[in-house]
Amino acid sequence: MGRYIGGRIISMLITFLIIASLTFFLMKLLPGTPFNNQDKLTETQIVQLNDKYGLNDPVPVQYFNYMKNLLSGDLGVSFQQDGREVSTIIGERIGPSAYLGLQSLVVGTIIGLFLGIIAALKHNSFLDYGTMVIAVLGISIPNFVIAGLMQYWFGVKWQLLPVAYWDGFAYTIMPTVAIASIVVATIARFMRTEMLEVLGQDYITTAKAKGLSSTAVVIRHTIRNASIPIITIMGPLVVGLMTGTLVIEQIFVIPGLGEKFVNSILTNDFPIIMGTTLFFSILFIVVILLVDILYGIIDPRIRLAGGKS
Amino acid sequence: MSMKQEKLHDLSDDMFQPAKIDSSENEQIARESTGFWKDAWRRLKKNPGAITGLIIIVAIILLAIFGPGMNEHSYSEQELTRAKLPAKVPVLENIDFLGVNGVDIRGTDQYEAKGYEDEYFWFGTDEFGRDQWTRVWQGTRISLFIAAAAAFIDFVIGVAYGGISAYYGGRVDNILQRIIEVLVGIPNLILIILFILIFEPGIFSIILALSVTGWIGMSRIVRGQVLKLKSQEFVLASRTLGATSGRVIGKHLIPNVLGQIIITTMFTIPSAIFFEAFLSFIGLGLRPPEASLGSIINNGFRSLQIYPHLVLWPSIIISLIMIAFNLLGDGLRDAFDPKLRK
Amino acid sequence: MSSQEKLLEIKNLKQHFKVGKSTVKAVDGLTFDIYKGETFGLVGESGCGKSTTGRTIIRLYDATDGEVRFNGEDVHGKKSAKELKKFNQKMQMIFQDPYASLNPRMTVSDIIAEGIDIHGLATSKKARMDKVVELLETVGLNKEHANRYPHEFSGGQRQRIGIARALAVDPEFIIADEPISALDVSIQAQVVNLMKKLQREKGLTYLFIAHDLSMVKYISDRIGVMYRGQIVELAESEELYRNPLHPYTQSLLSAIPLPDPEYERSRRRKIYDPEKHLPKNGEERILREVMEGHWIACTEEEYQKYQVTV
Amino acid sequence: MKKSRWTLVLSLVLVLSVFLSACGGGSNNGGNSGGEGDGEGGSAEQVLNLVETAEIPSMDTTQATDNTSFKAMNQVFEGLYRLDENNEPTLGMAADEPEEEEKDGETVYTFTIRDDAKWSDGSDVVAGDFIYAWHKALNPDTISPYASMFGTAGIKNGNAIITEGDPLYGKVEELGAKAVDEKTLEITVENQVPYFKSLLTFATFYPQPEGYAEEQGDNFALEADTMLYNGPFVFAEWNHGEGWTYEKNPEYWDAETVNLEKVTTKVVQDTATTVNLYETGKIDRAGLSADFVDQFKDNEEFSTLVDPTMYFMRLNQEREELANKDIRKALYLAYDREGLVNVLLNNGSIAAKYFVPKDFVKGPDGDDFREFAPDGFYADQGEEEAKEAWEAGLEALGTDSVELEFLTTDNELAAKIAEYAKDQFETKLDGLTITINKQPWKQFLELEDSGDFDISTGGWGPDYPDPMTFLYMFETDGEYNRMGYSSEKYDELVSGAKKETDEAKRWKMMQDAEKVLMEEDIAIVPTYQKGNAILKKDYVKNFYVHSFGADSSYKWIKIEK
Amino acid sequence: MEKILEVNNLHVSFDTFAGEVQAVRGVNFHLNKGETLAIVGESGSGKSVTSKAVMRLIPNPPGRIKEGEIKFGDRDLAQLSEKEMQKIRGSEISMIFQDPMTSLNPTMTIGKQIMEGLVKHQNMSKSEAKERAIELLKLVGIPNAEGRVNEFPHQFSGGMRQRVVIAIALACNPRVLIADEPTTALDVTIQAQILELLNDLQEKMGTSIIFITHDLGVVANIADRVAVMYAGKIVETGTVDEIFYNPQHPYTWGLLGSMPSLDSTDEELIAIPGSPPDLLDPPKGDAFAPRNPYAMKIDTEMEPPLFKISDTHYAATWLLHEKAPKVEPPAAIKKRMQGMAPSEPIIGAKDGGKNV
């Protein structure tokens, strides 16, 4: 197991370095430099500013310097937020995104599992279609519309919840609902399929033949086995949610990473682009690894040492 | 043992003559011939959700094709004097609760106020005074076109990539899968901006942008399926007959993965529409006055509280598209699932 | 067993698979010949490598080591597409699972005609259809079946379709990989009878792979018993059943239940314990001919003993 | 005193129209960071809750380039002067008006720093702090994006020091500014400009606490607790990305004038959210985009303000079609500005056929600059004349169809305006096809800068209270010309005006220059002068909005409930 | 002999897209205490459905028990509620399934899987149940039971898994054990072991067994009585000797004839031509008629009743009707009937450890 994880980490590092390099060069393909928007700059000043940040060096030199700094753990400083460390910026932004993401994940997963189970147990019944329509509705309405409507009705009209800001649990409710709607839909549909699959398995018949009650069969034998594959979709989902959604963050004024990331791309804030990209990739790769390890722990059939048996 | 013994004596001797059994009848198949697709279709027909989805999709496609031509307005014709009129539909205008009588949410008949008493705008007009009906359906057309084109490209690349990866396996598979890992890691917004720069904004760039990483999901599905299929005996049989790789892929693998591919496509289309809407939200994308459902919603979104018709109609349509494709996709999944075959 | 002309010669065939870091020796040094016109049975329990042997012979897998000569030519040395095609036409295969072996998306006529299409054996559409109908009739089906899909057929019918597909290219040699084990008894007889009939009519040679010993015995002229990737005993079928020498063969034979209650009441099963059968001093067992046509994997010492008993 | 309304016009922040440089005034009695708790007590608590559309990129006075930063700095720092209610410079760190002394065509101003001018740690603001900051701004290693301000202000060697190749390049000590003693600052001006004092209110001329800044090194001004303040407020909190909070600065020399105890500012990019926050009483002032104007225009708290910011289209005169004056005239006249400002913008913006804004500066005679042509140029001409000109232009070009690319940004409002322009041009001018090229801000600038466009949208806000802040743009090869416009006559008038010391003459020259640009050459198509639609609680008093420099001052705000 | 289970006129149908598939069409049989009844038939004959129907494990929809009774003691299982049925399943009637690879929950230790029934039916505490589980594992011949009780199914070989399945089924000492093709997926040597185990256990515990299979060799080995099913009906039933040595139904002839015996010569096997009928639309008359070389006109018109041959032996073929012509069974069958058939059925002779 240790050896397996070691091997995985090495291949992760390689993937990571390739992502870092490709992103670096792609970024360099974006026209313009970070300093062409500073309206009143003279040509000389732009040259000077570019010099200051080493942007006039040939790209390979810049690449070399960047990678050198990267490997020593230095992500550089932001161009737009003058002089602030990229790592500090990511650090202060990740908190709200991660909190919101995880909360939405938990809420969404619970509801999604519940809906998926109901739909599968009542396969092809009205309840099945109804549940699926609810699940699908969650992803059917653009989430900025959902968010806007919620903000208006719950925040302004009925004044039940705070309109926006990031200031305690009450403030997380609406954004959580808006984000969780996607999770609910994804998980519910996936769970339904898996449940149907498991319900058709022989061991379910064995369990029934033991005389277990339907509830016991569903809880002890079906749900557990149906949930295991969910872990595989959890990986990307976790990363997607943790890294924030631009739209929700903007509408509910949440100082999260999603907004920062999109804006960094649109403002050519190279160090932030690189920093966030690398952060995302690491998070992604690590989460995938964790998911695999978790899978091995939860599903006794999979032994890590030999991969899938 | 139900039949009474005595009754048995009444049978005529003639009945005990040897019967002429046509030996070929032994092999007769009573049921009508059903191919896989016919069978799936039959199952699909019994799924009310999927059929509802299908009907909605067909209806929306028809409206997207014919809707913009159903009145005399064009999607780009501006007339500021009639900006932001609410919806007004002949006949239905008399039914108050439908809210299509030209009266805005503050109770003013805008048509009267702006001097357009004799005109009807079925979905109202936007801030430029353009007919919202025409624009919404034009937008639907563009959204669907973008989604369909993106789905098509995803299909082509995804199927080829996943197919090759799984079919050749081993080292090839390994390398191709690593490439995907890297691709997933690169933020595609950077790539999208690059496309928009290189090709200028517009439908083409968006389609390309959507396709940059969109095909990965498809390729994963296809890869998984092909991996499963390629060791199936009918594939081996074909190989022992000397079939070329092309033939094995084209005749055996693809047709069997097709069900999965179609299902995946059903889910690609709505997500492409959504991604396009996201691009509109961050301001990237189409070249005005071209509009997609996403950009129309995004434009109208801020007037939600005062001109709800600007966001209501396109939202309903985009939601219907999503629901319909998802229902149909789920339905197809059930219909194609061989485990449910009897 | 008509002539003694060797159609297929297998020498020291090995097939090793890499599973993660370990290697599975599915086939580990097989040597045997198959004569023209005979049926060679290969039996053994699941996982003994018999199916792998069949698939390796027909080149579905590239052999790790060893030689397969077909009509004197080295099958695995062939390279050019043309030669391979010719080889594919001569050697065919019938598969185990009647459900998995037919492409569910193709009509029966397309399935059967696949070989015809690949090898260009029909000049026109009509000729192709005629050939398909002929093949369908050969296997006891008829032309109404041509446009139907596999799932509409019963297991036996499907297996016959599989046979028709193999016959379409007029092969000389057919590897039947457990062709009847997934079928019902009554249907097994149909297929076996059909295979026998075809052998008679077309002079086919079979490699019949199975785990059902009674059926193998019935159909085969000679039988090889496989155990853990190797042949432990090889003899003419009557001889093998009458006089099984290897303890593993004996255990296999004694385990088969027969449709005869009397016999069943008296049957005693012999148990084969490989641990107890380990050769002393680690000597490898080599296949040796203890009497004419009866080979057995044994050590030198055992060989002497067998010769005495025989 | 360059300040950028550019960023206002087409902001970094994409999605939401930056158009509203929203800030809000007023307070309620809740007073916590969320600004909750309306209607709690009797006497008005002096707390104001505001929103901004962008976070503060920099609090280093030499590094900031954007509106938000300048606005924030105006509340926590102070230069020799600060802008008052009427946009006039009023004494800040300077104790008195300076002594002036003419010498060899140069003017030496001697400022005395107030005795009670203190940094927030209680230390004195000294003359050296100004010199320290100014040198930093000019030093090539730490060059300020606004370094050219020194030249603009006419300060000796200000331009030379930042001009590569100049013998004085990089020699910051050659700048015409000296700390004579702790409290005496001497500024030498080589080229007097009337707006000199106004410029000194600008952030680039603020002091920095030399000792403290050196001590903090790279961390200086990165966080609320790594800087010192000398303005009316200090940062109590600065949560990057989320917002910041001001508190009254007890060390401020004029602290008794300052009423507000606390100002909270949150970064809100979505206008709908801003409006909702306003409606629920969480904020006291909100900028509105056009979408919301209809909703609130009858509201008592609604008002519009006109800015001296101009929007116009650059016509790339290196293109054959646009080099033709008739074509340009047709474009100039075809555009219905009334529809734009009344329906699409709907926020008090004024349809403009001129380039130097109204109500911006008054001439020596006390009249507004615009008085000489109050309605702009070709004011009485319209669609018909446009068509005539178009025909003439087409004839000259020998074609009957013209295709032009309209470059704009992905900003929602900019896109809308482009869409409107396309329709206006295409429906009124036969044979014209407009293709809209919508690009992200950075790429827009890149394309515009490299002349890769036919028509592009632009906006310009003043950096100092003088028409020159507009007119200098279109000098031949000017940094912001960007459209290949070149007129000897115009160049002569502009450079003449720059040197002219007689105010009346200078004024006339500038008016002539505008006339050349607009009437003779029709070099650009002006569209409108920017208005702002604002919601403000009426208990917020004395919220001063400035027409140049920092957007607004909170120093005098009072909550009266 | 005490009848422990009696099935009367059982009809089971499945509603499919194509229509109603009548999988079981009026099945009658009974099970005596302590005996093994083998139900033989090819796939699709309804033997598995019958057994699942007894357990009331037919998934509904699409399946349903249309009519008939399943008498277990004085109860009619067909009428019991799901709750009542749950009390019977696993405690009084248990079931073993065909594929040991899929019939165990892959994510639950085998110990827990055995314990579930014990806890449910015998109100055992966890520790008691675990002890009993270990005992059961020992009983079914799993070495090192104490250690293996905590292992997962994938850690067991196929044969061992089937032993575990048997242990689960026998946990509560059921009166009836239904074994649905329990050895079909296993190799011969493993099959032999499992059969021996079942025989042993039956002796020890006195369980009555319904053994479903298509392998006549297995039937000969394990059964006391045999019911031959075809197209959803029982076509012949009798003691094992009656069926093997005096078969009367042409379908039984076909089944027996299609198996080569080890001493058979090169003669052709008796193949039953064609395929079983489609139960979506069962043919009129005798369902076997189209494949029956001895078919008579009446076969295409009327379903044959069960003709009694002896007290224990019945067959549903018109050939047994008094007016039917006497037909010669195929040679191999004749050989069985003449040469091997003992004059007397030897039911009691089962005792005395015939197998190792």
Side-chain angles (χ1 to χ4, degrees), chain A residues 34 39-40 48 81 93 171 251 266, chain D residues 4 14 36 55 169 269 273 442 463 480:
Chain A
D39 34 318
K40 313 274 158 126
Q48 285 168 338
Q81 273 196 19
R93 293 294 196 124
Y171 292 79
I251 291 178
L266 294 162
Chain D
S4 166
L14 323 165
E36 295 156 29
E55 53 178 309
Y169 176 67
Q269 295 178 340
T273 304
K442 287 282 175 181
D463 292 323
Y480 307 103

PDB file of all heavy atoms in Angstrom, chain A residues 34 39-40 48 81 93 171 251 266, chain D residues 4 14 36 55 169 269 273 442 463 480:
ATOM      1  N   PRO A  34       0.055  42.303 -18.371  1.00  0.00           N
ATOM      2  CA  PRO A  34      -0.812  42.790 -17.303  1.00  0.00           C
ATOM      3  C   PRO A  34      -0.852  44.300 -17.255  1.00  0.00           C
ATOM      4  O   PRO A  34      -1.718  44.884 -16.633  1.00  0.00           O
ATOM      5  CB  PRO A  34      -0.195  42.228 -16.041  1.00  0.00           C
ATOM      6  CG  PRO A  34       0.973  41.437 -16.429  1.00  0.00           C
ATOM      7  CD  PRO A  34       1.119  41.449 -17.888  1.00  0.00           C
ATOM      8  N   ASP A  39      -4.090  52.684 -17.931  1.00  0.00           N
ATOM      9  CA  ASP A  39      -4.346  53.652 -18.989  1.00  0.00           C
ATOM     10  C   ASP A  39      -3.271  54.684 -19.233  1.00  0.00           C
ATOM     11  O   ASP A  39      -2.878  54.951 -20.349  1.00  0.00           O
ATOM     12  CB  ASP A  39      -5.660  54.321 -18.688  1.00  0.00           C
ATOM     13  CG  ASP A  39      -5.870  54.475 -17.211  1.00  0.00           C
ATOM     14  OD1 ASP A  39      -5.557  53.509 -16.458  1.00  0.00           O
ATOM     15  OD2 ASP A  39      -6.306  55.511 -16.788  1.00  0.00           O
ATOM     16  N   LYS A  40      -2.789  55.283 -18.170  1.00  0.00           N
ATOM     17  CA  LYS A  40      -1.932  56.434 -18.418  1.00  0.00           C
ATOM     18  C   LYS A  40      -0.456  56.084 -18.471  1.00  0.00           C
ATOM     19  O   LYS A  40       0.397  56.919 -18.264  1.00  0.00           O
ATOM     20  CB  LYS A  40      -2.193  57.511 -17.351  1.00  0.00           C
ATOM     21  CG  LYS A  40      -3.655  57.769 -17.129  1.00  0.00           C
ATOM     22  CD  LYS A  40      -4.230  58.789 -18.095  1.00  0.00           C
ATOM     23  CE  LYS A  40      -5.734  58.667 -18.232  1.00  0.00           C
ATOM     24  NZ  LYS A  40      -6.483  59.866 -18.008  1.00  0.00           N
ATOM     25  N   GLN A  48       9.282  49.484 -18.254  1.00  0.00           N
ATOM     26  CA  GLN A  48       9.854  49.433 -16.907  1.00  0.00           C
ATOM     27  C   GLN A  48       9.106  48.470 -16.001  1.00  0.00           C
ATOM     28  O   GLN A  48       9.698  47.685 -15.282  1.00  0.00           O
ATOM     29  CB  GLN A  48       9.847  50.840 -16.284  1.00  0.00           C
ATOM     30  CG  GLN A  48      10.917  51.735 -16.867  1.00  0.00           C
ATOM     31  CD  GLN A  48      10.719  53.173 -16.460  1.00  0.00           C
ATOM     32  OE1 GLN A  48       9.619  53.576 -16.109  1.00  0.00           O
ATOM     33  NE2 GLN A  48      11.785  53.951 -16.526  1.00  0.00           N
ATOM     34  N   GLN A  81      -3.148  42.788  -7.517  1.00  0.00           N
ATOM     35  CA  GLN A  81      -3.173  43.224  -6.122  1.00  0.00           C
ATOM     36  C   GLN A  81      -1.742  43.464  -5.762  1.00  0.00           C
ATOM     37  O   GLN A  81      -1.044  42.588  -5.281  1.00  0.00           O
ATOM     38  CB  GLN A  81      -3.744  42.137  -5.233  1.00  0.00           C
ATOM     39  CG  GLN A  81      -5.231  42.210  -5.151  1.00  0.00           C
ATOM     40  CD  GLN A  81      -5.738  41.410  -3.988  1.00  0.00           C
ATOM     41  OE1 GLN A  81      -5.020  41.093  -3.068  1.00  0.00           O
ATOM     42  NE2 GLN A  81      -6.990  41.080  -4.039  1.00  0.00           N
ATOM     43  N   ARG A  93      -8.817  33.261   0.114  1.00  0.00           N
ATOM     44  CA  ARG A  93     -10.006  33.047  -0.685  1.00  0.00           C
ATOM     45  C   ARG A  93     -10.585  31.640  -0.552  1.00  0.00           C
ATOM     46  O   ARG A  93     -11.763  31.422  -0.815  1.00  0.00           O
ATOM     47  CB  ARG A  93      -9.685  33.286  -2.172  1.00  0.00           C
ATOM     48  CG  ARG A  93      -9.361  34.715  -2.501  1.00  0.00           C
ATOM     49  CD  ARG A  93     -10.572  35.599  -2.289  1.00  0.00           C
ATOM     50  NE  ARG A  93     -10.386  36.880  -2.939  1.00  0.00           N
ATOM     51  CZ  ARG A  93     -11.232  37.365  -3.837  1.00  0.00           C
ATOM     52  NH1 ARG A  93     -12.298  36.701  -4.174  1.00  0.00           N
ATOM     53  NH2 ARG A  93     -11.003  38.538  -4.390  1.00  0.00           N
ATOM     54  N   TYR A 171     -26.018  33.293   6.482  1.00  0.00           N
ATOM     55  CA  TYR A 171     -25.590  33.822   5.198  1.00  0.00           C
ATOM     56  C   TYR A 171     -25.240  32.712   4.203  1.00  0.00           C
ATOM     57  O   TYR A 171     -25.093  32.952   3.024  1.00  0.00           O
ATOM     58  CB  TYR A 171     -24.373  34.727   5.385  1.00  0.00           C
ATOM     59  CG  TYR A 171     -24.693  36.000   6.129  1.00  0.00           C
ATOM     60  CD1 TYR A 171     -24.821  36.004   7.510  1.00  0.00           C
ATOM     61  CD2 TYR A 171     -24.883  37.191   5.442  1.00  0.00           C
ATOM     62  CE1 TYR A 171     -25.135  37.151   8.201  1.00  0.00           C
ATOM     63  CE2 TYR A 171     -25.194  38.356   6.122  1.00  0.00           C
ATOM     64  CZ  TYR A 171     -25.319  38.333   7.507  1.00  0.00           C
ATOM     65  OH  TYR A 171     -25.634  39.480   8.159  1.00  0.00           O
ATOM     66  N   ILE A 251     -23.073  36.741  -6.779  1.00  0.00           N
ATOM     67  CA  ILE A 251     -24.420  37.168  -6.396  1.00  0.00           C
ATOM     68  C   ILE A 251     -24.549  37.309  -4.883  1.00  0.00           C
ATOM     69  O   ILE A 251     -25.172  38.236  -4.388  1.00  0.00           O
ATOM     70  CB  ILE A 251     -25.461  36.192  -6.974  1.00  0.00           C
ATOM     71  CG1 ILE A 251     -25.492  36.368  -8.490  1.00  0.00           C
ATOM     72  CG2 ILE A 251     -26.842  36.442  -6.368  1.00  0.00           C
ATOM     73  CD1 ILE A 251     -26.414  35.461  -9.208  1.00  0.00           C
ATOM     74  N   LEU A 266      -9.008  37.106 -16.783  1.00  0.00           N
ATOM     75  CA  LEU A 266      -9.443  38.210 -17.613  1.00  0.00           C
ATOM     76  C   LEU A 266      -8.578  39.452 -17.433  1.00  0.00           C
ATOM     77  O   LEU A 266      -8.673  40.393 -18.204  1.00  0.00           O
ATOM     78  CB  LEU A 266     -10.900  38.520 -17.312  1.00  0.00           C
ATOM     79  CG  LEU A 266     -11.819  37.362 -17.725  1.00  0.00           C
ATOM     80  CD1 LEU A 266     -13.158  37.477 -17.049  1.00  0.00           C
ATOM     81  CD2 LEU A 266     -11.985  37.305 -19.227  1.00  0.00           C
TER      82      LEU A 266
ATOM     83  N   SER D   4      -7.798  57.865 -13.221  1.00  0.00           N
ATOM     84  CA  SER D   4      -8.335  57.158 -14.312  1.00  0.00           C
ATOM     85  C   SER D   4      -9.790  56.894 -14.199  1.00  0.00           C
ATOM     86  O   SER D   4     -10.243  56.132 -13.399  1.00  0.00           O
ATOM     87  CB  SER D   4      -7.630  55.863 -14.367  1.00  0.00           C
ATOM     88  OG  SER D   4      -8.345  55.086 -15.195  1.00  0.00           O
ATOM     89  N   LEU D  14     -15.679  42.151 -14.991  1.00  0.00           N
ATOM     90  CA  LEU D  14     -16.387  42.023 -16.214  1.00  0.00           C
ATOM     91  C   LEU D  14     -17.842  42.137 -16.080  1.00  0.00           C
ATOM     92  O   LEU D  14     -18.513  42.908 -16.721  1.00  0.00           O
ATOM     93  CB  LEU D  14     -16.183  40.646 -16.708  1.00  0.00           C
ATOM     94  CG  LEU D  14     -14.840  40.225 -16.401  1.00  0.00           C
ATOM     95  CD1 LEU D  14     -14.805  38.762 -16.584  1.00  0.00           C
ATOM     96  CD2 LEU D  14     -13.936  40.920 -17.288  1.00  0.00           C
ATOM     97  N   GLU D  36     -26.461  45.814  10.180  1.00  0.00           N
ATOM     98  CA  GLU D  36     -27.822  45.415  10.481  1.00  0.00           C
ATOM     99  C   GLU D  36     -28.438  46.301  11.551  1.00  0.00           C
ATOM    100  O   GLU D  36     -27.800  47.171  12.120  1.00  0.00           O
ATOM    101  CB  GLU D  36     -27.826  43.983  11.019  1.00  0.00           C
ATOM    102  CG  GLU D  36     -27.366  42.986   9.997  1.00  0.00           C
ATOM    103  CD  GLU D  36     -26.837  41.738  10.656  1.00  0.00           C
ATOM    104  OE1 GLU D  36     -27.304  41.418  11.761  1.00  0.00           O
ATOM    105  OE2 GLU D  36     -25.954  41.109  10.065  1.00  0.00           O
ATOM    106  N   GLU D  55     -12.377  45.183  -5.531  1.00  0.00           N
ATOM    107  CA  GLU D  55     -11.567  45.268  -4.336  1.00  0.00           C
ATOM    108  C   GLU D  55     -10.442  46.279  -4.554  1.00  0.00           C
ATOM    109  O   GLU D  55     -10.218  46.745  -5.665  1.00  0.00           O
ATOM    110  CB  GLU D  55     -11.021  43.908  -3.937  1.00  0.00           C
ATOM    111  CG  GLU D  55     -10.279  43.176  -5.015  1.00  0.00           C
ATOM    112  CD  GLU D  55      -9.742  41.850  -4.497  1.00  0.00           C
ATOM    113  OE1 GLU D  55      -9.096  41.851  -3.454  1.00  0.00           O
ATOM    114  OE2 GLU D  55      -9.965  40.822  -5.146  1.00  0.00           O
ATOM    115  N   TYR D 169      17.610  60.670 -16.741  1.00  0.00           N
ATOM    116  CA  TYR D 169      16.804  59.471 -16.531  1.00  0.00           C
ATOM    117  C   TYR D 169      17.163  58.752 -15.239  1.00  0.00           C
ATOM    118  O   TYR D 169      18.333  58.416 -14.997  1.00  0.00           O
ATOM    119  CB  TYR D 169      16.965  58.518 -17.717  1.00  0.00           C
ATOM    120  CG  TYR D 169      16.228  57.210 -17.532  1.00  0.00           C
ATOM    121  CD1 TYR D 169      14.836  57.198 -17.492  1.00  0.00           C
ATOM    122  CD2 TYR D 169      16.925  56.013 -17.380  1.00  0.00           C
ATOM    123  CE1 TYR D 169      14.162  56.017 -17.313  1.00  0.00           C
ATOM    124  CE2 TYR D 169      16.252  54.820 -17.203  1.00  0.00           C
ATOM    125  CZ  TYR D 169      14.858  54.820 -17.165  1.00  0.00           C
ATOM    126  OH  TYR D 169      14.183  53.653 -16.977  1.00  0.00           O
ATOM    127  N   GLN D 269     -20.264  42.910  -6.674  1.00  0.00           N
ATOM    128  CA  GLN D 269     -20.127  43.137  -8.107  1.00  0.00           C
ATOM    129  C   GLN D 269     -21.465  43.108  -8.816  1.00  0.00           C
ATOM    130  O   GLN D 269     -21.608  43.647  -9.903  1.00  0.00           O
ATOM    131  CB  GLN D 269     -19.196  42.083  -8.694  1.00  0.00           C
ATOM    132  CG  GLN D 269     -17.795  42.248  -8.120  1.00  0.00           C
ATOM    133  CD  GLN D 269     -16.844  41.211  -8.631  1.00  0.00           C
ATOM    134  OE1 GLN D 269     -17.236  40.163  -9.103  1.00  0.00           O
ATOM    135  NE2 GLN D 269     -15.567  41.499  -8.531  1.00  0.00           N
ATOM    136  N   THR D 273     -27.705  42.459  -6.574  1.00  0.00           N
ATOM    137  CA  THR D 273     -27.416  42.259  -5.160  1.00  0.00           C
ATOM    138  C   THR D 273     -27.293  43.599  -4.450  1.00  0.00           C
ATOM    139  O   THR D 273     -27.837  43.789  -3.358  1.00  0.00           O
ATOM    140  CB  THR D 273     -26.113  41.456  -4.998  1.00  0.00           C
ATOM    141  OG1 THR D 273     -26.238  40.239  -5.720  1.00  0.00           O
ATOM    142  CG2 THR D 273     -25.824  41.167  -3.544  1.00  0.00           C
ATOM    143  N   LYS D 442      -8.606  43.229 -21.424  1.00  0.00           N
ATOM    144  CA  LYS D 442      -7.183  43.215 -21.741  1.00  0.00           C
ATOM    145  C   LYS D 442      -6.964  43.096 -23.237  1.00  0.00           C
ATOM    146  O   LYS D 442      -6.094  43.748 -23.816  1.00  0.00           O
ATOM    147  CB  LYS D 442      -6.520  42.004 -21.074  1.00  0.00           C
ATOM    148  CG  LYS D 442      -6.363  42.152 -19.613  1.00  0.00           C
ATOM    149  CD  LYS D 442      -5.202  43.048 -19.353  1.00  0.00           C
ATOM    150  CE  LYS D 442      -5.114  43.309 -17.867  1.00  0.00           C
ATOM    151  NZ  LYS D 442      -4.011  44.203 -17.570  1.00  0.00           N
ATOM    152  N   ASP D 463      -8.296  63.956 -15.553  1.00  0.00           N
ATOM    153  CA  ASP D 463      -7.332  63.732 -14.488  1.00  0.00           C
ATOM    154  C   ASP D 463      -7.123  64.999 -13.682  1.00  0.00           C
ATOM    155  O   ASP D 463      -6.627  64.967 -12.572  1.00  0.00           O
ATOM    156  CB  ASP D 463      -6.002  63.295 -15.082  1.00  0.00           C
ATOM    157  CG  ASP D 463      -6.108  61.916 -15.694  1.00  0.00           C
ATOM    158  OD1 ASP D 463      -6.829  61.074 -15.121  1.00  0.00           O
ATOM    159  OD2 ASP D 463      -5.506  61.687 -16.746  1.00  0.00           O
ATOM    160  N   TYR D 480      -2.736  58.144 -26.520  1.00  0.00           N
ATOM    161  CA  TYR D 480      -4.111  57.640 -26.525  1.00  0.00           C
ATOM    162  C   TYR D 480      -4.860  57.968 -27.809  1.00  0.00           C
ATOM    163  O   TYR D 480      -6.052  57.792 -27.893  1.00  0.00           O
ATOM    164  CB  TYR D 480      -4.863  58.178 -25.302  1.00  0.00           C
ATOM    165  CG  TYR D 480      -4.079  57.871 -24.074  1.00  0.00           C
ATOM    166  CD1 TYR D 480      -3.321  58.838 -23.426  1.00  0.00           C
ATOM    167  CD2 TYR D 480      -4.004  56.551 -23.629  1.00  0.00           C
ATOM    168  CE1 TYR D 480      -2.525  58.521 -22.358  1.00  0.00           C
ATOM    169  CE2 TYR D 480      -3.210  56.221 -22.558  1.00  0.00           C
ATOM    170  CZ  TYR D 480      -2.470  57.200 -21.916  1.00  0.00           C
ATOM    171  OH  TYR D 480      -1.679  56.869 -20.876  1.00  0.00           O
TER     172      TYR D 480
END
